[in-house]
């Protein structure tokens, strides 16, 4: 049985990889513009799927349902935060940045603020944020490969490194865009099948979104009888301000993440950017709407089939997970019966273990493995492109070697990808924190640096170079300091933890940009007109205080 | 290139901005607003069986977000049309703009 499971999982993972690599090779990039932004011809619905795959990382796929299951209502900050940010992005930034028409986010900041210093700071921030984020993805892929192929997690991480370096370096963005469409389809199917089966098992209703509300209420009832706080009771695991700070950090971080924004450069127009944002959230929402259902069903099964059972008669699946140290069972009161608080379950195993717990069969378990790998690899691929474009384009080409040939820049881009992947992989062998925590730090950094710089860059024509340079530096400093201070427990405001640090970073950066800009010279007339111009569609141009219509 | 009447250009951006403000207000109410009053919003949602605050966090807010984005895309298209914007011309213009860089 173990062997059959191994072969099925391996077979499904290899099959899906063959598809991704095949697509990447088929679309092998030949030109620089293809490599970075896919020649700007991806239709909005497909671009939406690619954004979805890029977006849904190992943290969303593997970690989120488990987080909601363990935190109850408080875990919903992740659900709302990681979806609500798309409104800020699509209303306030994406179409405008598309009209400005540059390859990367640091390039927009450098050109809009007419400052090489700002460009370099933005490129360095992009590298820090994307690199932090990718460490989490690589260690996530290590856990999945390690658990399912029954090899050491470190070996699993190394396998992931090789795969990511290969298709990110050779496919470029175009390869990745179409690869990610395939990855989205595989990961969403892999996520939905177990939820639908569990819904049928527990409620006899094939639509989990309709049926799990009753289960949530029933869970509250069970908790009440056990003397626990109700599953849906608000703010049991953190203050209300932590909930809102985390939600804000995740939303603003979403709107400022370079590897997500760059997706909107791959569409043809501002109109296409708006539709891409809408499609992206629809496809992302499918997973985010299902995660709380996943959480409720898993908790229900655990409460009914595991909790309250004699400890020496637990189902067979518990043993494999206890061996990984991610599940711990201890009979504190010595009555031979397992209580809920005697069960220590890591939120990262909930999604991976539930198909086993619910007896869904080897095919579904193998499919979950392939889906989790798709989530980890697709996000890591997008992150690597961001890192490579920041270095090869914004630092190497725009600052160090303005005369570099296309071929030369492409080579530098590829070398950067391989180097960054290997380096991130080495750190991922011994990750500096829990995966979801590392990911939240990346969001906090993005909301403390890019979100204010982009928001004011697009909407406030008076914002200038000195303002944005000091703003990004202050935002970076405040966010990092708060993360470290809250982590060590020495300093906290209103119970806000390290994961909510972005709210302070963003506030500090916005205030700094406004104050410094007002105290220094206003941008030139030309720059200010360029900013106002972003409020009009491509056919309209704002020049000399008037709007001009361009009829082809 | 033809100059557009100043009043008309202003009307265009005012109309666009008005919708952004409306949509972001709804966004704020369904997410932060509901969280702020979560303790007192625990009544049962009919048919689905959730407590309301949980329903909004897990489903209501996300569905609202998705719907708002599609309404925004549709409404913006309509405004563009009203002011005589031709998407094909936009495509040509934005293609040229990136190529000259």
């Amino acid at each position: 049985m173990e062997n059959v499971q191994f072969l099925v999982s391996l077979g499904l993972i290899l099959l899906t990889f063959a598809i991704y690599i095949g697509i990447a090779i088929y679309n092998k990039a030949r030109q620089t513009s293809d490599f970075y932004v896919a020649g700007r011809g991806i239709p909005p619905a497909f671009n939406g799927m690619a954004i979805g795959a890029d977006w849904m990382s190992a943290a969303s796929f593997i970690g989120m349902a488990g987080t909601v299951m363990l935190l109850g209502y408080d875990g919903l900050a992740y659900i709302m935060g990681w979806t609500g940010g798309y409104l800020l992005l699509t209303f306030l930034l994406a179409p405008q940045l598309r009209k400005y028409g540059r390859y990367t986010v640091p390039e927009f900041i450098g050109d809009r603020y007419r400052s090489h210093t700002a460009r370099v700071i933005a490129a360095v921030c992009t590298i820090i944020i994307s690199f932090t984020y990718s460490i989490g993805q690589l260690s996530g892929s290590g856990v999945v490969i390690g658990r399912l192929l029954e090899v050491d997690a470190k070996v699993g991480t190394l396998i992931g490194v090789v795969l990511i370096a290969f298709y990110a370096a050779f496919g470029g963005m175009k390869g990745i865009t179409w690869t990610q469409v395939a990855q989205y389809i595989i990961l969403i199917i892999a996520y939905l099948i177990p939820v639908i089966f569990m819904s049928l098992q527990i409620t006899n209703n094939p639509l989990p979104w309709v049926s799990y509300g009753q289960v949530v209420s029933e869970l509250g009832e069970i908790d009440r009888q056990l003397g626990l706080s109700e599953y849906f009771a608000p703010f049991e695991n953190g203050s209300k301000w932590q909930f809102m700070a985390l939600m804000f950090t995740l939303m603003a971080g979403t709107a400022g993440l370079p590897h997500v924004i760059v997706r909107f450069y791959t569409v043809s127009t501002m109109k296409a950017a708006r539709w891409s944002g809408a499609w992206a959230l629809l496809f992302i929402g499918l997973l985010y709407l299902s995660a709380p259902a996943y959480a409720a069903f898993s908790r229900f099964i655990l409460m009914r089939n595991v909790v309250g059972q004699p400890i020496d008669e637990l189902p067979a699946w518990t043993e494999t997970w206890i061996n990984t140290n991610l599940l711990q069972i201890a009979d504190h009161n010595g009555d031979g019966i397992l209580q809920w608080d005697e069960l220590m379950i890591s939120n990262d195993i909930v999604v991976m273990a539930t198909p086993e717990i619910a007896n869904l069969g080897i095919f579904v378990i193998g499919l979950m493995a392939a889906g989790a790998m798709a989530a980890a690899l697709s996000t890591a691929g997008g992150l690597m492109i961001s890192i490579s474009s920041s270095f090869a384009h914004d630092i190497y080409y725009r600052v160090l070697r303005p005369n570099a040939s296309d071929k030369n820049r492409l080579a530098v881009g590829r070398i950067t990808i391989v180097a960054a992947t290997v380096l991130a992989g080495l750190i991922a062998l011994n990750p500096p924190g829990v995966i979801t925590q590392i990911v939240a730090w990346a969001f906090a950094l993005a909301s403390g640096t890019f979100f204010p710089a982009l928001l004011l860059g697009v909407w406030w024509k008076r914002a200038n170079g000195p303002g944005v340079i000091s703003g990004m530096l202050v935002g970076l400093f405040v966010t990092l300091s708060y993360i470290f201070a809250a982590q060590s427990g020495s300093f906290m405001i209103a119970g806000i933890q390290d994961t909510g640090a972005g709210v302070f970073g963003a506030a500090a950066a916005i205030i700094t940009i406004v104050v410094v800009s007002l105290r220094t010279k206003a941008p030139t007339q030309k720059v200010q007109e360029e900013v106002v111009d972003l409020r009009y569609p491509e056919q309209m141009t704002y020049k000399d205080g008037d709007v001009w219509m361009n009829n082809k | 290139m033809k100059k557009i009447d100043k009043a008309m250009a202003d009307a265009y951006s005012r109309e666009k901005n008005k919708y952004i403000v409306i949509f972001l207000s709804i966004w704020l109410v369904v997410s932060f607003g509901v969280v702020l009053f979560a303790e007192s919003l625990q009544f049962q949602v009919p048919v689905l069986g959730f407590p309301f605050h949980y329903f909004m966090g897990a489903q209501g807010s996300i569905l609202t977000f998705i719907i708002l984005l599609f309404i925004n895309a549709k409404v913006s298209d309509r405004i563009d049309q009203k002011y005589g914007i031709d998407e094909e011309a936009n495509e040509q213009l934005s293609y040229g703009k990136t190529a000259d860089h």
Side-chain angles (χ1 to χ4, degrees):
Chain A
M1 186 63 195
E2 264 307 292
N3 263 334
V4 177
Q5 179 63 65
F6 170 80
L7 288 175
V8 170
S9 300
L10 183 67
L12 280 169
I13 290 178
L14 289 181
L15 181 73
T16 51
F17 279 6
I19 297 173
Y20 310 147
I21 293 171
I23 295 172
I25 291 173
Y26 182 77
N27 285 302
K28 191 173 177 306
R30 295 192 193 282
Q31 280 180 343
T32 312
S33 75
D34 264 0
F35 187 75
Y36 293 127
V37 291
R40 306 189 203 261
I42 313 282
F46 288 108
N47 201 45
M49 278 194 207
I51 295 171
D54 219 342
W55 178 248
M56 290 183 286
S57 63
S60 304
F61 191 93
I62 306 173
M64 209 169 50
T67 306
V68 174
M69 187 191 102
L70 291 172
L71 297 184
Y73 178 75
D74 294 3
L76 298 181
Y78 287 96
I79 306 277
M80 284 191 273
W82 276 336
T83 49
Y86 275 84
L87 278 78
L88 294 176
L89 185 60
T90 312
F91 295 156
L92 301 177
L93 297 175
Q96 291 80 0
L97 292 177
R98 177 63 196 85
K99 186 173 185 190
Y100 206 83
R102 293 295 186 269
Y103 282 123
T104 66
V105 173
E107 193 169 34
F108 168 79
I109 290 179
D111 291 354
R112 151 68 178 85
Y113 291 104
R114 297 288 194 276
S115 161
H116 261 327
T117 318
R119 184 197 317 279
V120 174
I121 293 173
V124 172
C125 286
T126 305
I127 293 172
I128 296 175
I129 293 166
S130 305
F131 191 77
T132 314
Y133 204 158
S134 65
I135 294 169
Q137 304 309 312
L138 282 167
S139 65
S141 72
V143 172
V144 177
I145 298 179
R147 170 68 183 84
L148 282 132
L149 304 188
E150 288 171 47
V151 293
D152 192 280
K154 291 188 188 344
V155 180
T157 306
L158 293 176
I159 297 175
V161 167
V162 173
L163 282 162
I164 290 166
F166 180 80
Y167 81 70
F170 290 97
M173 187 67 118
K174 188 154 197 171
I176 285 186
T177 301
W178 290 109
T179 304
Q180 287 183 332
V181 171
Q183 281 165 335
Y184 173 79
I185 294 169
I186 285 165
L187 81 83
I188 201 69
I189 291 174
Y191 203 83
L192 291 184
I193 285 180
V195 194
I196 291 170
F197 273 110
M198 281 193 286
S199 180
L200 274 171
Q201 272 184 9
I202 295 172
T203 64
N204 282 323
N205 184 335
L207 297 173
W209 310 280
V210 181
S211 70
Y212 85 94
Q214 307 290 351
V215 176
V216 166
S217 291
E218 246 174 274
L219 281 170
E221 184 64 33
I222 295 175
D223 288 332
R224 241 192 330 269
Q225 282 165 7
L226 292 174
L228 304 167
S229 62
E230 285 166 325
Y231 178 60
F232 49 76
F235 318 124
E236 290 288 329
N237 294 287
S239 71
K240 184 188 277 186
W241 303 112
Q242 159 64 14
F243 190 113
M244 294 212 264
L246 174 60
M247 192 157 84
F248 173 84
T249 299
L250 300 176
M251 284 177 175
T254 303
L257 269 187
H259 81 281
V260 176
I261 292 176
V262 89
R263 278 276 166 235
F264 289 93
Y265 295 160
T266 64
V267 298
S268 50
T269 56
M270 297 172 87
K271 172 182 169 175
R274 287 190 294 266
W275 282 99
S276 286
W279 285 111
L281 194 64
L282 176 72
F283 291 127
I284 292 166
L286 210 50
L287 186 133
Y288 280 69
L289 285 169
S290 312
Y294 210 125
F297 293 142
S298 304
R299 188 165 169 126
F300 191 73
I301 294 172
L302 280 177
M303 282 291 190
R304 233 182 21 184
N305 302 352
V306 182
V307 174
Q309 302 294 317
I311 284 194
D312 44 11
E313 283 173 34
L314 292 179
W317 63 265
T318 49
E319 202 169 319
T320 26
W321 285 103
I322 288 172
N323 291 341
T324 64
N325 257 332
L326 295 170
L327 178 72
Q328 285 163 20
I329 287 170
D331 190 12
H332 294 309
N333 58 5
D335 62 355
I337 305 279
L338 181 69
Q339 264 89 39
W340 172 251
D341 52 11
E342 294 173 344
L343 184 73
M344 291 284 294
I345 186 163
S346 156
N347 42 9
D348 288 344
I349 69 168
V350 172
V351 167
M352 298 305 293
T354 300
E356 277 178 81
I357 299 171
N359 263 325
L360 293 183
I362 51 177
F363 186 77
V364 174
I365 298 171
L367 195 63
M368 286 303 286
M373 286 308 297
L377 287 183
S378 59
T379 305
L383 291 166
M384 285 303 149
I385 290 289
S386 264
I387 293 177
S388 108
S389 57
S390 289
F391 184 76
H393 191 79
D394 301 313
I395 296 179
Y396 181 78
Y397 170 60
R398 296 300 297 264
V399 179
L400 297 177
R401 295 265 152 78
N403 307 322
S405 68
D406 253 24
K407 211 175 139 201
N408 186 252
R409 283 152 57 196
L410 204 53
V412 172
R414 287 189 173 140
I415 294 168
T416 315
I417 287 184
V418 174
T421 316
V422 171
L423 199 60
L426 287 178
I427 298 177
L429 292 178
N430 288 302
V434 193
I435 300 171
T436 43
Q437 201 178 14
I438 301 175
V439 170
W441 294 341
F443 278 80
L445 290 170
S447 56
T449 53
F450 286 129
F451 178 65
L454 295 173
L455 186 71
L456 294 175
V458 167
W459 290 98
W460 193 42
K461 59 184 180 182
R462 183 65 179 74
N464 64 15
V468 83
I469 291 170
S470 40
M472 281 196 292
L473 291 176
V474 167
L476 187 65
F477 174 76
V478 169
T479 313
L480 280 176
S481 313
Y482 196 86
I483 290 174
F484 283 117
Q487 262 295 83
S488 68
S490 60
F491 179 79
M492 251 191 228
I493 297 172
I496 295 172
Q497 297 153 18
D498 56 316
T499 46
V503 74
F504 301 109
I510 289 174
I511 293 170
T512 310
I513 295 177
V514 171
V515 170
V516 175
S517 292
L518 287 177
R519 290 179 159 262
T520 45
K521 221 169 123 249
T524 61
Q525 190 62 27
K526 186 163 182 290
V527 171
Q528 299 202 23
E529 291 195 335
E530 268 175 30
V531 175
V532 178
D533 182 55
L534 299 180
R535 290 170 205 172
Y536 298 96
E538 285 89 346
Q539 244 189 316
M540 293 185 184
T541 308
Y542 185 84
K543 215 170 62 187
D544 306 327
D546 276 308
V547 178
W548 303 74
M549 185 78 154
N550 195 323
N551 288 320
K552 283 190 228 182
Chain B
M1 290 242 270
K2 187 177 87 213
K3 195 162 120 182
I4 300 178
D5 187 27
K6 179 109 181 102
M8 193 170 134
D10 287 348
Y12 176 87
S13 60
R14 224 186 2 256
E15 200 166 340
K16 273 271 171 79
N17 292 344
K18 182 184 83 189
Y19 280 106
I20 293 180
V21 172
I22 294 173
F23 295 149
L24 284 182
S25 311
I26 300 174
W27 164 81
L28 200 67
V29 169
V30 298
S31 55
F32 290 92
V34 174
V35 173
L36 196 61
F37 298 103
E39 293 97 332
S40 43
L41 293 171
Q42 300 202 33
F43 59 89
Q44 288 269 315
V45 176
V47 185
L48 292 174
F50 288 99
F52 181 74
H53 72 299
Y54 195 94
F55 165 76
M56 283 309 287
Q59 294 191 335
S61 59
I62 303 164
L63 290 172
T64 314
F65 297 157
I66 297 172
I67 293 168
L68 285 179
L69 282 180
F70 276 98
I71 294 179
N72 167 64
K74 202 81 213 153
V75 164
S76 298
D77 283 0
R78 195 163 301 153
I79 296 174
D80 279 4
Q81 221 167 29
K82 191 167 118 191
Y83 288 86
I85 301 294
D86 171 20
E87 179 65 7
E88 245 172 70
N90 282 341
E91 255 167 55
Q92 277 179 5
L93 286 165
S94 71
Y95 192 81
K97 189 167 175 184
T98 51
D100 65 12
H101 154 68

